[in-house]
Amino acid sequence: MKKFKKLIIACDGESASGKSTAAKLISRKYKLLLINSGLLYRYASKEIIKNNPKDIVNFLKKRFKSISYKKIVKLNLHSQQISNHVAILAKNRNIRKIINTFQKALIKKNKKICIEGRDIASKILAKNPKYDLAFYFKCNLSVSSYRRWLDLKKSVPLKEVKKSLKNRTKMDKTRKNSPLVKVKDAILIRTDKLSKRGVLNKMSKYIENLN
């Protein structure tokens, strides 16, 4: 296995496409700081649902100034209520700016990172710094719905989960600000056709071939 002094990986993909699991596996293998941008939006949604602020933008600016990424990771942010709220929140340009600033500060401090989200290769790591490798994750809707349903411990009807995921991906791809796109040089990973080991092996093969 190659040793890297600098390695920047972008992982983009649809909702529940397996990108989080893949990013975790690759980050562990190559000792990268893993940044899950989706969690940042989920944290923002949770705080808005909980506090119902009048001025959402200033409220979130203060929240992101007073919390570390390590604390956000430890929170339980996967509920159907947050999932439904976050898709709408992610459309907001001003909120995207707050979260992008938070991410950029993390990126500046680290040379070995893996960031996963929906606009990582196209926006966050498009330049300064630019990704060394970009991966794009896809998964059949029936498979991704079932996986998310298990994540939610079957607390929500499977039909509802499927509808929510379908709507989320549609919103992500059609939103005006930083839509979900597969950049030209992104490597497609179909998680419905590969096991976890298969996903890790495929990603590793491309990483090992980097100069």
Side-chain angles (χ1 to χ4, degrees):
M1 191 173 76
K2 270 190 186 178
K3 289 276 196 312
F4 294 91
K5 285 185 178 177
K6 175 191 159 286
L7 182 58
I8 299 175
I9 306 289
C11 293
D12 290 299
E14 298 167 9
S15 212
S17 59
K19 63 185 180 299
S20 296
T21 301
K24 270 181 200 168
L25 292 170
I26 215 73
S27 297
R28 198 178 298 147
K29 183 172 179 177
Y30 290 96
K31 295 181 170 56
L32 311 175
L33 170 70
L34 173 61
I35 302 170
N36 180 330
S37 68
L39 281 184
L40 303 179
Y41 286 95
R42 284 179 172 275
Y43 168 69
S45 275
K46 183 179 183 175
E47 289 300 304
I48 290 165
I49 292 165
K50 186 180 161 187
N51 297 284
N52 194 24
K54 284 181 182 176
D55 185 344
I56 289 171
V57 173
N58 278 325
F59 170 78
L60 287 179
K61 272 183 185 174
K62 287 174 187 172
R63 279 288 189 269
F64 277 100
K65 274 179 185 174
S66 62
I67 194 163
S68 69
Y69 181 68
K70 279 183 181 178
K71 282 186 180 175
I72 292 173
V73 171
K74 287 174 185 172
L75 299 171
N76 179 18
L77 300 169
H78 285 281
S79 74
Q80 195 59 39
Q81 188 186 19
I82 289 173
S83 293
N84 292 338
H85 185 274
V86 79
I88 298 152
L89 186 81
K91 287 181 172 184
N92 189 309
R93 191 182 172 191
N94 291 325
I95 288 166
R96 296 197 76 84
K97 271 187 185 176
I98 295 165
I99 291 173
N100 287 356
T101 301
F102 186 85
Q103 286 186 99
K104 292 277 185 186
L106 282 171
I107 293 162
K108 274 183 183 177
K109 293 174 190 170
N110 298 277
K111 287 184 177 180
K112 291 175 69 178
I113 50 172
C114 175
I115 310 183
E116 58 128 322
R118 287 167 173 80
D119 65 345
I120 307 307
S122 61
K123 180 91 176 168
I124 306 297
L125 294 175
K127 56 182 178 182
N128 299 326
K130 185 174 165 65
Y131 56 83
D132 295 308
L133 267 180
F135 293 99
Y136 186 88
F137 295 81
K138 270 183 85 75
C139 183
N140 173 282
L141 182 62
S142 296
V143 176
S144 61
S145 305
Y146 184 74
R147 285 176 184 167
R148 178 56 58 86
W149 183 59
L150 293 180
D151 285 345
L152 293 166
K153 297 180 170 57
K154 305 180 184 178
S155 60
V156 182
L158 178 59
K159 195 176 171 183
E160 197 181 311
V161 176
K162 193 171 187 176
K163 187 183 173 186
S164 174
L165 287 185
K166 192 178 180 181
N167 289 343
R168 176 71 207 264
T169 296
K170 188 183 176 185
M171 275 180 160
D172 288 336
K173 287 182 174 180
T174 57
R175 70 177 176 229
K176 193 178 174 184
N177 299 303
S178 301
L180 168 65
V181 291
K182 179 183 178 290
V183 295
K184 277 184 183 178
D185 60 346
I187 297 139
L188 179 66
I189 307 281
R190 290 294 305 256
T191 60
D192 51 343
K193 298 188 175 180
L194 291 166
S195 64
K196 283 183 188 178
R197 186 183 285 275
V199 168
L200 181 62
N201 287 345
K202 186 172 180 179
M203 292 174 79
S204 299
K205 189 178 81 176
Y206 285 98
I207 291 169
E208 291 294 325
N209 285 337
L210 283 170
N211 292 327

